[in-house]
Each structure stands twice: as C-alpha cells, then as structure tokens.
Amino acid sequence: MTEPWGKKTGDQLQRLRAHARFIFEAGLEAVNPRTCVERALQPTMAVGLQAAMAEAAARGRIFVVGGGKASALMAQAIEERFGNGIAGGAVVVKYGHGVPLKHIQVIEAAHPVPDRAGLGGAEAVLDMAYRAAAGDLLLCLISGGASALLPLPASGITLADKQKTTSLLLAAGSTIHEINAIRKHLSRIKGGGLALAAAPARVLSLILSDVVGDDLDVIGSGLTVPDRTTFADGLRILDKYALRDAVPPPVRERFVQGAAGRIPDTPKPGAPDFANVVNQIIGSNFLALEAAAAKAEELGYRPLILSSMIEGDARQAALFISRIAREVRRSRNPVAPPACILCGGETTVNVQGGGLGGRCTEMALAAALDLAGLAGTVMLCAGTDGTDGPTDAAGAFVDGATVERAAGLEMRPAPYLADNDAYRFFHRLEDLLVTGPTRTNVMDLQIVLVDA
C-alpha cells in the first residue's frame, strides 16, 4: 500500500533528494576536465614524455586538437600550462559547451547527430595534425561526444549519409561500441586516422572516458588508437538491427566492399605507425563513483559501488537497481540503511514512441513504477554531461511516492513510458534535475539512498 504523502514523509524525501544531488555534484567535481588534465601533467608523467613536451613547448611547436563535450575546459588547462608554446589548435565541442581561449580555436557543433559545423571542425583538427612535424607534439584532448562532433566522411560517403546512419543506430538502441565500430569505418579521422595524419610527430592523447569498460579504441571512436573492429564486424552490426537495407546505399556498399577486402581496413593493434603515440585515460565513471561514495559517507550513509559498467536496456537496468533498493529495505542486504547504492554506465533506449526523453529519465520512470510505496527511498538517474537525450535536463529524481503524486495530477506512468515521454512526465512533477552543460562527460550515475 502506498505511503501517504504527509509532511513528515515529504520532509524526509526532500532531505534525501538534496543529499542525492550533493553526491552527484561530488562525482562531477572529481571528473572536472581542468582538474583531470592538471593531474595528468604532474611530474609523475613518464620522463621521456615530459622531456618531449618541454622541448616542443620551448620551440613553440605544440599543436592542440580535440573533440568532445569536455575538450574546451581541457584545452583551457593546456593553455594555462603551455601558453606561447602552443603553435595552434582546434577543439570541437557541443553547442553551448565552449569557453574563451587565446591560442586554440573552439568550434561548436551538433551532438549526437553530426552537422556541417562539426565537419568544418574535423577538417580543422585534421589540418593541425598534418602541420605537426618530427620533433613536434600533437596533444589530443578527447572526451565523450567526440565521435559525433568530428565527422569527416571517408571517400564516397557524405555528411547526410553519416547523419542518417547515426540516427538509425541510435533509434535501434545499439550500444556505443556498435555505433563507433560503424563510425570508424565511415571516417577519415577515426579508427587511428588522426594519429596517422600526425606521423612522424609525437602524439599524446589525454582522454576522459565515456565508454563502459574504458576501451581506448571506442572512446571518441579511437582517433589515435589502432582499431580492433573490422568492416565485417560493421556488417554484422547492421544485420543485427536489420539496418543493412535501411542505411544509405553508399554506406552499405562501403561495408560490403570492405568486408570483401576491396577497401583497406582501419589500422590494427601492432601497427608500427603508433610507436610514437601515447593514450592516457585521465578520468572515468569509476573515478566519479569513488568521489560520490566518499561524499555519501561524509553525509552519514553506508556507500556501496555496485558497478561502473551498467549497460543494456534502460528499463531493465532500472528494475535491477530498484530491486537492490527493495532488498536493502527488506533484509539490510547487501548493505544496511542508511545506505547509498551507486551505479554508473550507459544504457540504451529502444525508441518505440514519439515522446521526449533520454536514457536517464527513461530509467527513472521505469524505476518509479517498481519503487512505488517504498518508504524513505530516493533514486537519482543523471548524465554527467548535464544532458539527457535531446532535452535540457540531466535526469530525474524518483521515490516511493512518485506514482502517487502523479496520480494526483491525473497522470499514469505506464503510458508515458510506452511513448518514451519520460521528460514531460517529470517536467509536470517538477522532478527533473537541470544542471546546464557541465562540460564533462563520463557517462551516467545512478544514486539510490535508502534512509534508516
């Protein structure tokens, strides 16, 4: 039976919500791009790499390139460190994520479906790589969103082809690993292409991971990393989602020709071209979870990090996490209240309806149905980039009284969920979390607080 929405219950839930936001913000601060870059460039960096950076900076021959929602703040930290040692640079960020820079051009473009601004930005990035010579350093700043923000189609492929292909894969609920396997084989810059363009210059990539498992060749579609996937893998992905006949003919033909060996594949691990390339992850979802756990403990909760690798269907993931919350309340297992259950990763949504929302609000709405009536429990699902799908929200809060309060507004969650319309549901309840652009991106966080 659903607990009445009384003052005592309301005060408790408001406190839990405030704590959930504090915990989320602590996670964000741990993956602040500037902090991550500054930490990566400490004297503990390999001696040879430090020497190469110092030499290139002294000659004014550091070229800075990058892409992703965090790349502008990363570039800001690089400017403060190297100043006039920078010969030039270009980074491409999502609209609204730019910051003013002196030595490095900031280009804003569309995400997750690329646009012409991104095409121009990718050309500027590739031009910088070609300018780097032996003894120079190409410093690459890569974060979540780089794949969409740096579209540079391969021969015979147009931007419109890439836009349609990306939209089809997103709507089908394909994973980021699958989407980026396709992107790498439709690009001149991904799948290690940027590193090849910079040879024989030295390349250092500083990377904020937005990929489950932190796979280097998947983050940003592996701009400076040898590619483990093939054209044949791409065909299998298209077939898995029944998209072979739906993608534009030039895309289909490129994968067919590539799988038959008529088009050279992307460079593979062990290729000698990457001897002067160093790829370093400087921030990740797990780093954010660790900071969130520390904040939860400070607030009086017993924290438990379940996983930084939550993926798959958002609704199924919601059910898994909400069931953990119920178990904590019922049996004090796997941790006794007051408890903070922490998860992270990146789920997918199989779009069937015409509503508005993203994977975080979809997950929150599915969780609300299962948490209905559970006392003293709050869940926050939010994207660390501050954006949940094509909306202005990072995510949403839910609790054991969400369904009851919705009923008071004559709303039923199930139809909204069926129409993938979670954003409008939570907007009416005033339960959205709106942060604005955070200028970082390490996937999503799920925070569940179960009060004593």
PDB file of all heavy atoms in Angstrom, residues 315 350-357 361-362 365-366 368-369 403 406-407 409-426 428:
ATOM      1  N   ARG A 315      15.224   0.323 -19.120  1.00  0.00           N
ATOM      2  CA  ARG A 315      14.131  -0.149 -18.262  1.00  0.00           C
ATOM      3  C   ARG A 315      14.564  -1.371 -17.455  1.00  0.00           C
ATOM      4  O   ARG A 315      14.229  -1.500 -16.274  1.00  0.00           O
ATOM      5  CB  ARG A 315      12.898  -0.469 -19.100  1.00  0.00           C
ATOM      6  CG  ARG A 315      12.365   0.723 -19.872  1.00  0.00           C
ATOM      7  CD  ARG A 315      11.113   0.357 -20.662  1.00  0.00           C
ATOM      8  NE  ARG A 315      10.755   1.397 -21.613  1.00  0.00           N
ATOM      9  CZ  ARG A 315       9.696   1.366 -22.391  1.00  0.00           C
ATOM     10  NH1 ARG A 315       8.862   0.329 -22.324  1.00  0.00           N
ATOM     11  NH2 ARG A 315       9.441   2.343 -23.246  1.00  0.00           N
ATOM     12  N   ASN A 350      15.310   1.703 -26.634  1.00  0.00           N
ATOM     13  CA  ASN A 350      14.738   1.271 -27.911  1.00  0.00           C
ATOM     14  C   ASN A 350      13.500   2.137 -28.157  1.00  0.00           C
ATOM     15  O   ASN A 350      12.451   1.925 -27.562  1.00  0.00           O
ATOM     16  CB  ASN A 350      14.376  -0.215 -27.856  1.00  0.00           C
ATOM     17  CG  ASN A 350      13.909  -0.736 -29.201  1.00  0.00           C
ATOM     18  OD1 ASN A 350      13.946  -0.029 -30.205  1.00  0.00           O
ATOM     19  ND2 ASN A 350      13.469  -1.980 -29.224  1.00  0.00           N
ATOM     20  N   VAL A 351      13.648   3.129 -29.013  1.00  0.00           N
ATOM     21  CA  VAL A 351      12.602   4.132 -29.203  1.00  0.00           C
ATOM     22  C   VAL A 351      11.429   3.540 -29.991  1.00  0.00           C
ATOM     23  O   VAL A 351      11.579   3.141 -31.147  1.00  0.00           O
ATOM     24  CB  VAL A 351      13.166   5.373 -29.930  1.00  0.00           C
ATOM     25  CG1 VAL A 351      12.053   6.403 -30.128  1.00  0.00           C
ATOM     26  CG2 VAL A 351      14.318   5.980 -29.130  1.00  0.00           C
ATOM     27  N   GLN A 352      10.273   3.491 -29.324  1.00  0.00           N
ATOM     28  CA  GLN A 352       9.053   2.996 -29.959  1.00  0.00           C
ATOM     29  C   GLN A 352       7.983   4.074 -30.051  1.00  0.00           C
ATOM     30  O   GLN A 352       7.076   3.983 -30.873  1.00  0.00           O
ATOM     31  CB  GLN A 352       8.505   1.798 -29.171  1.00  0.00           C
ATOM     32  CG  GLN A 352       9.451   0.623 -29.064  1.00  0.00           C
ATOM     33  CD  GLN A 352       9.652  -0.082 -30.394  1.00  0.00           C
ATOM     34  OE1 GLN A 352       8.729  -0.135 -31.222  1.00  0.00           O
ATOM     35  NE2 GLN A 352      10.844  -0.606 -30.610  1.00  0.00           N
ATOM     36  N   GLY A 353       8.076   5.095 -29.182  1.00  0.00           N
ATOM     37  CA  GLY A 353       7.058   6.135 -29.142  1.00  0.00           C
ATOM     38  C   GLY A 353       7.548   7.441 -29.722  1.00  0.00           C
ATOM     39  O   GLY A 353       8.655   7.540 -30.254  1.00  0.00           O
ATOM     40  N   GLY A 354       6.719   8.455 -29.595  1.00  0.00           N
ATOM     41  CA  GLY A 354       7.050   9.761 -30.156  1.00  0.00           C
ATOM     42  C   GLY A 354       7.274  10.824 -29.108  1.00  0.00           C
ATOM     43  O   GLY A 354       7.198  12.016 -29.411  1.00  0.00           O
ATOM     44  N   GLY A 355       7.546  10.400 -27.875  1.00  0.00           N
ATOM     45  CA  GLY A 355       7.699  11.351 -26.792  1.00  0.00           C
ATOM     46  C   GLY A 355       9.079  11.970 -26.718  1.00  0.00           C
ATOM     47  O   GLY A 355       9.905  11.825 -27.625  1.00  0.00           O
ATOM     48  N   LEU A 356       9.334  12.655 -25.587  1.00  0.00           N
ATOM     49  CA  LEU A 356      10.586  13.371 -25.376  1.00  0.00           C
ATOM     50  C   LEU A 356      11.261  12.813 -24.131  1.00  0.00           C
ATOM     51  O   LEU A 356      10.635  12.684 -23.076  1.00  0.00           O
ATOM     52  CB  LEU A 356      10.304  14.865 -25.192  1.00  0.00           C
ATOM     53  CG  LEU A 356      11.507  15.778 -24.977  1.00  0.00           C
ATOM     54  CD1 LEU A 356      12.431  15.775 -26.200  1.00  0.00           C
ATOM     55  CD2 LEU A 356      11.038  17.206 -24.670  1.00  0.00           C
ATOM     56  N   GLY A 357      12.532  12.500 -24.265  1.00  0.00           N
ATOM     57  CA  GLY A 357      13.260  11.967 -23.119  1.00  0.00           C
ATOM     58  C   GLY A 357      14.599  11.418 -23.521  1.00  0.00           C
ATOM     59  O   GLY A 357      15.025  11.530 -24.669  1.00  0.00           O
ATOM     60  N   THR A 361      16.055   9.708 -17.874  1.00  0.00           N
ATOM     61  CA  THR A 361      14.653   9.891 -17.474  1.00  0.00           C
ATOM     62  C   THR A 361      13.846   8.626 -17.750  1.00  0.00           C
ATOM     63  O   THR A 361      12.915   8.296 -16.996  1.00  0.00           O
ATOM     64  CB  THR A 361      14.023  11.096 -18.191  1.00  0.00           C
ATOM     65  OG1 THR A 361      14.337  11.053 -19.590  1.00  0.00           O
ATOM     66  CG2 THR A 361      14.540  12.403 -17.604  1.00  0.00           C
ATOM     67  N   GLU A 362      14.190   7.894 -18.823  1.00  0.00           N
ATOM     68  CA  GLU A 362      13.525   6.622 -19.100  1.00  0.00           C
ATOM     69  C   GLU A 362      13.773   5.636 -17.949  1.00  0.00           C
ATOM     70  O   GLU A 362      12.855   4.964 -17.460  1.00  0.00           O
ATOM     71  CB  GLU A 362      14.048   6.038 -20.413  1.00  0.00           C
ATOM     72  CG  GLU A 362      13.460   4.698 -20.780  1.00  0.00           C
ATOM     73  CD  GLU A 362      12.426   4.767 -21.893  1.00  0.00           C
ATOM     74  OE1 GLU A 362      12.049   5.873 -22.309  1.00  0.00           O
ATOM     75  OE2 GLU A 362      11.991   3.697 -22.336  1.00  0.00           O
ATOM     76  N   LEU A 365      11.820   6.735 -14.790  1.00  0.00           N
ATOM     77  CA  LEU A 365      10.383   6.469 -14.855  1.00  0.00           C
ATOM     78  C   LEU A 365      10.090   4.979 -14.653  1.00  0.00           C
ATOM     79  O   LEU A 365       9.141   4.605 -13.955  1.00  0.00           O
ATOM     80  CB  LEU A 365       9.822   6.955 -16.189  1.00  0.00           C
ATOM     81  CG  LEU A 365       8.313   6.848 -16.388  1.00  0.00           C
ATOM     82  CD1 LEU A 365       7.552   7.474 -15.227  1.00  0.00           C
ATOM     83  CD2 LEU A 365       7.893   7.500 -17.703  1.00  0.00           C
ATOM     84  N   ALA A 366      10.920   4.131 -15.244  1.00  0.00           N
ATOM     85  CA  ALA A 366      10.743   2.690 -15.041  1.00  0.00           C
ATOM     86  C   ALA A 366      10.968   2.327 -13.577  1.00  0.00           C
ATOM     87  O   ALA A 366      10.245   1.488 -13.009  1.00  0.00           O
ATOM     88  CB  ALA A 366      11.710   1.918 -15.935  1.00  0.00           C
ATOM     89  N   ALA A 368      10.444   4.290 -11.017  1.00  0.00           N
ATOM     90  CA  ALA A 368       9.339   4.824 -10.211  1.00  0.00           C
ATOM     91  C   ALA A 368       8.217   3.800 -10.063  1.00  0.00           C
ATOM     92  O   ALA A 368       7.601   3.682  -8.992  1.00  0.00           O
ATOM     93  CB  ALA A 368       8.806   6.105 -10.856  1.00  0.00           C
ATOM     94  N   LEU A 369       7.938   3.068 -11.119  1.00  0.00           N
ATOM     95  CA  LEU A 369       6.878   2.059 -11.062  1.00  0.00           C
ATOM     96  C   LEU A 369       7.223   0.965 -10.056  1.00  0.00           C
ATOM     97  O   LEU A 369       6.349   0.487  -9.329  1.00  0.00           O
ATOM     98  CB  LEU A 369       6.672   1.457 -12.456  1.00  0.00           C
ATOM     99  CG  LEU A 369       5.970   2.362 -13.467  1.00  0.00           C
ATOM    100  CD1 LEU A 369       6.149   1.825 -14.878  1.00  0.00           C
ATOM    101  CD2 LEU A 369       4.492   2.480 -13.122  1.00  0.00           C
ATOM    102  N   VAL A 403       4.681   7.791  -7.968  1.00  0.00           N
ATOM    103  CA  VAL A 403       3.478   7.328  -8.669  1.00  0.00           C
ATOM    104  C   VAL A 403       2.231   7.935  -8.040  1.00  0.00           C
ATOM    105  O   VAL A 403       1.296   8.343  -8.747  1.00  0.00           O
ATOM    106  CB  VAL A 403       3.415   5.788  -8.659  1.00  0.00           C
ATOM    107  CG1 VAL A 403       2.069   5.307  -9.199  1.00  0.00           C
ATOM    108  CG2 VAL A 403       4.554   5.213  -9.489  1.00  0.00           C
ATOM    109  N   ALA A 406       1.910  11.558  -9.028  1.00  0.00           N
ATOM    110  CA  ALA A 406       1.486  11.635 -10.431  1.00  0.00           C
ATOM    111  C   ALA A 406      -0.019  11.407 -10.548  1.00  0.00           C
ATOM    112  O   ALA A 406      -0.714  12.088 -11.314  1.00  0.00           O
ATOM    113  CB  ALA A 406       2.250  10.616 -11.262  1.00  0.00           C
ATOM    114  N   ALA A 407      -0.521  10.468  -9.764  1.00  0.00           N
ATOM    115  CA  ALA A 407      -1.968  10.192  -9.795  1.00  0.00           C
ATOM    116  C   ALA A 407      -2.753  11.420  -9.371  1.00  0.00           C
ATOM    117  O   ALA A 407      -3.852  11.680  -9.877  1.00  0.00           O
ATOM    118  CB  ALA A 407      -2.281   9.013  -8.886  1.00  0.00           C
ATOM    119  N   LEU A 409      -2.094  14.313 -10.151  1.00  0.00           N
ATOM    120  CA  LEU A 409      -2.154  15.189 -11.332  1.00  0.00           C
ATOM    121  C   LEU A 409      -2.825  14.477 -12.511  1.00  0.00           C
ATOM    122  O   LEU A 409      -2.709  14.920 -13.658  1.00  0.00           O
ATOM    123  CB  LEU A 409      -0.738  15.624 -11.730  1.00  0.00           C
ATOM    124  CG  LEU A 409       0.006  16.501 -10.715  1.00  0.00           C
ATOM    125  CD1 LEU A 409       1.444  16.763 -11.190  1.00  0.00           C
ATOM    126  CD2 LEU A 409      -0.728  17.821 -10.518  1.00  0.00           C
ATOM    127  N   GLU A 410      -3.486  13.353 -12.203  1.00  0.00           N
ATOM    128  CA  GLU A 410      -4.173  12.536 -13.217  1.00  0.00           C
ATOM    129  C   GLU A 410      -3.209  12.066 -14.294  1.00  0.00           C
ATOM    130  O   GLU A 410      -3.520  12.040 -15.496  1.00  0.00           O
ATOM    131  CB  GLU A 410      -5.347  13.313 -13.823  1.00  0.00           C
ATOM    132  CG  GLU A 410      -6.407  13.685 -12.793  1.00  0.00           C
ATOM    133  CD  GLU A 410      -7.612  14.366 -13.421  1.00  0.00           C
ATOM    134  OE1 GLU A 410      -7.531  14.761 -14.605  1.00  0.00           O
ATOM    135  OE2 GLU A 410      -8.639  14.500 -12.730  1.00  0.00           O
ATOM    136  N   MET A 411      -2.016  11.660 -13.853  1.00  0.00           N
ATOM    137  CA  MET A 411      -1.025  11.078 -14.764  1.00  0.00           C
ATOM    138  C   MET A 411      -0.758   9.631 -14.355  1.00  0.00           C
ATOM    139  O   MET A 411      -0.614   9.331 -13.172  1.00  0.00           O
ATOM    140  CB  MET A 411       0.304  11.847 -14.709  1.00  0.00           C
ATOM    141  CG  MET A 411       0.262  13.235 -15.279  1.00  0.00           C
ATOM    142  SD  MET A 411       1.952  13.867 -15.550  1.00  0.00           S
ATOM    143  CE  MET A 411       2.650  13.785 -13.910  1.00  0.00           C
ATOM    144  N   ARG A 412      -0.664   8.770 -15.353  1.00  0.00           N
ATOM    145  CA  ARG A 412      -0.267   7.381 -15.126  1.00  0.00           C
ATOM    146  C   ARG A 412       1.092   7.160 -15.790  1.00  0.00           C
ATOM    147  O   ARG A 412       1.269   7.469 -16.976  1.00  0.00           O
ATOM    148  CB  ARG A 412      -1.298   6.415 -15.691  1.00  0.00           C
ATOM    149  CG  ARG A 412      -2.633   6.446 -14.934  1.00  0.00           C
ATOM    150  CD  ARG A 412      -3.592   5.371 -15.415  1.00  0.00           C
ATOM    151  NE  ARG A 412      -3.928   5.507 -16.835  1.00  0.00           N
ATOM    152  CZ  ARG A 412      -3.561   4.643 -17.775  1.00  0.00           C
ATOM    153  NH1 ARG A 412      -2.836   3.576 -17.459  1.00  0.00           N
ATOM    154  NH2 ARG A 412      -3.908   4.842 -19.038  1.00  0.00           N
ATOM    155  N   PRO A 413       2.087   6.628 -15.066  1.00  0.00           N
ATOM    156  CA  PRO A 413       3.434   6.486 -15.629  1.00  0.00           C
ATOM    157  C   PRO A 413       3.510   5.571 -16.852  1.00  0.00           C
ATOM    158  O   PRO A 413       4.276   5.860 -17.784  1.00  0.00           O
ATOM    159  CB  PRO A 413       4.239   5.897 -14.463  1.00  0.00           C
ATOM    160  CG  PRO A 413       3.475   6.260 -13.241  1.00  0.00           C
ATOM    161  CD  PRO A 413       2.039   6.258 -13.641  1.00  0.00           C
ATOM    162  N   ALA A 414       2.734   4.487 -16.858  1.00  0.00           N
ATOM    163  CA  ALA A 414       2.886   3.478 -17.911  1.00  0.00           C
ATOM    164  C   ALA A 414       2.712   4.053 -19.329  1.00  0.00           C
ATOM    165  O   ALA A 414       3.524   3.772 -20.212  1.00  0.00           O
ATOM    166  CB  ALA A 414       1.939   2.312 -17.677  1.00  0.00           C
ATOM    167  N   PRO A 415       1.675   4.856 -19.601  1.00  0.00           N
ATOM    168  CA  PRO A 415       1.543   5.400 -20.958  1.00  0.00           C
ATOM    169  C   PRO A 415       2.702   6.315 -21.346  1.00  0.00           C
ATOM    170  O   PRO A 415       3.129   6.330 -22.504  1.00  0.00           O
ATOM    171  CB  PRO A 415       0.213   6.167 -20.901  1.00  0.00           C
ATOM    172  CG  PRO A 415      -0.556   5.535 -19.793  1.00  0.00           C
ATOM    173  CD  PRO A 415       0.474   5.153 -18.778  1.00  0.00           C
ATOM    174  N   TYR A 416       3.205   7.089 -20.388  1.00  0.00           N
ATOM    175  CA  TYR A 416       4.360   7.944 -20.681  1.00  0.00           C
ATOM    176  C   TYR A 416       5.583   7.094 -21.023  1.00  0.00           C
ATOM    177  O   TYR A 416       6.345   7.417 -21.938  1.00  0.00           O
ATOM    178  CB  TYR A 416       4.675   8.845 -19.480  1.00  0.00           C
ATOM    179  CG  TYR A 416       3.775  10.049 -19.346  1.00  0.00           C
ATOM    180  CD1 TYR A 416       2.573   9.969 -18.648  1.00  0.00           C
ATOM    181  CD2 TYR A 416       4.122  11.269 -19.917  1.00  0.00           C
ATOM    182  CE1 TYR A 416       1.739  11.068 -18.517  1.00  0.00           C
ATOM    183  CE2 TYR A 416       3.295  12.384 -19.788  1.00  0.00           C
ATOM    184  CZ  TYR A 416       2.111  12.277 -19.093  1.00  0.00           C
ATOM    185  OH  TYR A 416       1.293  13.376 -18.967  1.00  0.00           O
ATOM    186  N   LEU A 417       5.761   5.999 -20.301  1.00  0.00           N
ATOM    187  CA  LEU A 417       6.894   5.113 -20.567  1.00  0.00           C
ATOM    188  C   LEU A 417       6.748   4.465 -21.938  1.00  0.00           C
ATOM    189  O   LEU A 417       7.722   4.376 -22.700  1.00  0.00           O
ATOM    190  CB  LEU A 417       6.973   4.056 -19.464  1.00  0.00           C
ATOM    191  CG  LEU A 417       8.248   3.209 -19.414  1.00  0.00           C
ATOM    192  CD1 LEU A 417       9.476   4.075 -19.200  1.00  0.00           C
ATOM    193  CD2 LEU A 417       8.136   2.161 -18.302  1.00  0.00           C
ATOM    194  N   ALA A 418       5.542   4.029 -22.264  1.00  0.00           N
ATOM    195  CA  ALA A 418       5.311   3.389 -23.562  1.00  0.00           C
ATOM    196  C   ALA A 418       5.587   4.338 -24.721  1.00  0.00           C
ATOM    197  O   ALA A 418       6.018   3.910 -25.802  1.00  0.00           O
ATOM    198  CB  ALA A 418       3.879   2.866 -23.640  1.00  0.00           C
ATOM    199  N   ASP A 419       5.382   5.636 -24.484  1.00  0.00           N
ATOM    200  CA  ASP A 419       5.592   6.640 -25.535  1.00  0.00           C
ATOM    201  C   ASP A 419       6.980   7.264 -25.462  1.00  0.00           C
ATOM    202  O   ASP A 419       7.259   8.219 -26.184  1.00  0.00           O
ATOM    203  CB  ASP A 419       4.522   7.742 -25.409  1.00  0.00           C
ATOM    204  CG  ASP A 419       4.402   8.572 -26.681  1.00  0.00           C
ATOM    205  OD1 ASP A 419       4.601   8.022 -27.790  1.00  0.00           O
ATOM    206  OD2 ASP A 419       4.140   9.781 -26.576  1.00  0.00           O
ATOM    207  N   ASN A 420       7.875   6.711 -24.618  1.00  0.00           N
ATOM    208  CA  ASN A 420       9.223   7.283 -24.419  1.00  0.00           C
ATOM    209  C   ASN A 420       9.127   8.772 -24.109  1.00  0.00           C
ATOM    210  O   ASN A 420       9.889   9.592 -24.623  1.00  0.00           O
ATOM    211  CB  ASN A 420      10.110   7.064 -25.651  1.00  0.00           C
ATOM    212  CG  ASN A 420      10.263   5.605 -26.029  1.00  0.00           C
ATOM    213  OD1 ASN A 420       9.844   5.191 -27.110  1.00  0.00           O
ATOM    214  ND2 ASN A 420      10.843   4.821 -25.144  1.00  0.00           N
ATOM    215  N   ASP A 421       8.193   9.112 -23.217  1.00  0.00           N
ATOM    216  CA  ASP A 421       7.895  10.513 -22.933  1.00  0.00           C
ATOM    217  C   ASP A 421       8.194  10.863 -21.475  1.00  0.00           C
ATOM    218  O   ASP A 421       7.459  11.624 -20.831  1.00  0.00           O
ATOM    219  CB  ASP A 421       6.421  10.804 -23.250  1.00  0.00           C
ATOM    220  CG  ASP A 421       6.154  12.286 -23.495  1.00  0.00           C
ATOM    221  OD1 ASP A 421       7.120  13.025 -23.791  1.00  0.00           O
ATOM    222  OD2 ASP A 421       4.997  12.695 -23.378  1.00  0.00           O
ATOM    223  N   ALA A 422       9.295  10.319 -20.959  1.00  0.00           N
ATOM    224  CA  ALA A 422       9.620  10.494 -19.544  1.00  0.00           C
ATOM    225  C   ALA A 422       9.900  11.949 -19.193  1.00  0.00           C
ATOM    226  O   ALA A 422       9.588  12.392 -18.081  1.00  0.00           O
ATOM    227  CB  ALA A 422      10.821   9.626 -19.177  1.00  0.00           C
ATOM    228  N   TYR A 423      10.488  12.712 -20.108  1.00  0.00           N
ATOM    229  CA  TYR A 423      10.806  14.104 -19.804  1.00  0.00           C
ATOM    230  C   TYR A 423       9.544  14.874 -19.439  1.00  0.00           C
ATOM    231  O   TYR A 423       9.506  15.608 -18.432  1.00  0.00           O
ATOM    232  CB  TYR A 423      11.498  14.764 -20.999  1.00  0.00           C
ATOM    233  CG  TYR A 423      11.778  16.244 -20.806  1.00  0.00           C
ATOM    234  CD1 TYR A 423      12.971  16.673 -20.229  1.00  0.00           C
ATOM    235  CD2 TYR A 423      10.849  17.202 -21.210  1.00  0.00           C
ATOM    236  CE1 TYR A 423      13.236  18.024 -20.042  1.00  0.00           C
ATOM    237  CE2 TYR A 423      11.097  18.554 -21.030  1.00  0.00           C
ATOM    238  CZ  TYR A 423      12.294  18.961 -20.450  1.00  0.00           C
ATOM    239  OH  TYR A 423      12.541  20.306 -20.262  1.00  0.00           O
ATOM    240  N   ARG A 424       8.492  14.741 -20.222  1.00  0.00           N
ATOM    241  CA  ARG A 424       7.265  15.503 -19.957  1.00  0.00           C
ATOM    242  C   ARG A 424       6.601  15.040 -18.657  1.00  0.00           C
ATOM    243  O   ARG A 424       6.010  15.843 -17.931  1.00  0.00           O
ATOM    244  CB  ARG A 424       6.306  15.393 -21.138  1.00  0.00           C
ATOM    245  CG  ARG A 424       6.816  16.088 -22.398  1.00  0.00           C
ATOM    246  CD  ARG A 424       5.749  16.169 -23.481  1.00  0.00           C
ATOM    247  NE  ARG A 424       6.225  16.879 -24.655  1.00  0.00           N
ATOM    248  CZ  ARG A 424       6.754  16.299 -25.741  1.00  0.00           C
ATOM    249  NH1 ARG A 424       6.869  14.973 -25.787  1.00  0.00           N
ATOM    250  NH2 ARG A 424       7.155  17.014 -26.763  1.00  0.00           N
ATOM    251  N   PHE A 425       6.726  13.758 -18.346  1.00  0.00           N
ATOM    252  CA  PHE A 425       6.183  13.243 -17.088  1.00  0.00           C
ATOM    253  C   PHE A 425       6.856  13.938 -15.907  1.00  0.00           C
ATOM    254  O   PHE A 425       6.190  14.473 -15.014  1.00  0.00           O
ATOM    255  CB  PHE A 425       6.409  11.729 -17.026  1.00  0.00           C
ATOM    256  CG  PHE A 425       5.944  11.089 -15.745  1.00  0.00           C
ATOM    257  CD1 PHE A 425       4.642  10.658 -15.595  1.00  0.00           C
ATOM    258  CD2 PHE A 425       6.828  10.915 -14.678  1.00  0.00           C
ATOM    259  CE1 PHE A 425       4.209  10.061 -14.412  1.00  0.00           C
ATOM    260  CE2 PHE A 425       6.411  10.332 -13.494  1.00  0.00           C
ATOM    261  CZ  PHE A 425       5.105   9.907 -13.351  1.00  0.00           C
ATOM    262  N   PHE A 426       8.173  13.958 -15.903  1.00  0.00           N
ATOM    263  CA  PHE A 426       8.898  14.542 -14.772  1.00  0.00           C
ATOM    264  C   PHE A 426       8.839  16.071 -14.779  1.00  0.00           C
ATOM    265  O   PHE A 426       8.942  16.697 -13.722  1.00  0.00           O
ATOM    266  CB  PHE A 426      10.338  14.058 -14.761  1.00  0.00           C
ATOM    267  CG  PHE A 426      10.485  12.618 -14.370  1.00  0.00           C
ATOM    268  CD1 PHE A 426      10.967  11.678 -15.276  1.00  0.00           C
ATOM    269  CD2 PHE A 426      10.100  12.187 -13.110  1.00  0.00           C
ATOM    270  CE1 PHE A 426      11.086  10.349 -14.921  1.00  0.00           C
ATOM    271  CE2 PHE A 426      10.208  10.854 -12.741  1.00  0.00           C
ATOM    272  CZ  PHE A 426      10.706   9.930 -13.650  1.00  0.00           C
ATOM    273  N   ARG A 428       6.156  17.800 -15.470  1.00  0.00           N
ATOM    274  CA  ARG A 428       4.903  18.137 -14.783  1.00  0.00           C
ATOM    275  C   ARG A 428       5.035  17.949 -13.275  1.00  0.00           C
ATOM    276  O   ARG A 428       4.444  18.695 -12.498  1.00  0.00           O
ATOM    277  CB  ARG A 428       3.754  17.284 -15.322  1.00  0.00           C
ATOM    278  CG  ARG A 428       3.245  17.718 -16.699  1.00  0.00           C
ATOM    279  CD  ARG A 428       1.896  17.106 -16.995  1.00  0.00           C
ATOM    280  NE  ARG A 428       0.865  17.578 -16.055  1.00  0.00           N
ATOM    281  CZ  ARG A 428      -0.357  17.055 -15.963  1.00  0.00           C
ATOM    282  NH1 ARG A 428      -0.696  16.033 -16.752  1.00  0.00           N
ATOM    283  NH2 ARG A 428      -1.225  17.522 -15.089  1.00  0.00           N
TER     284      ARG A 428
END
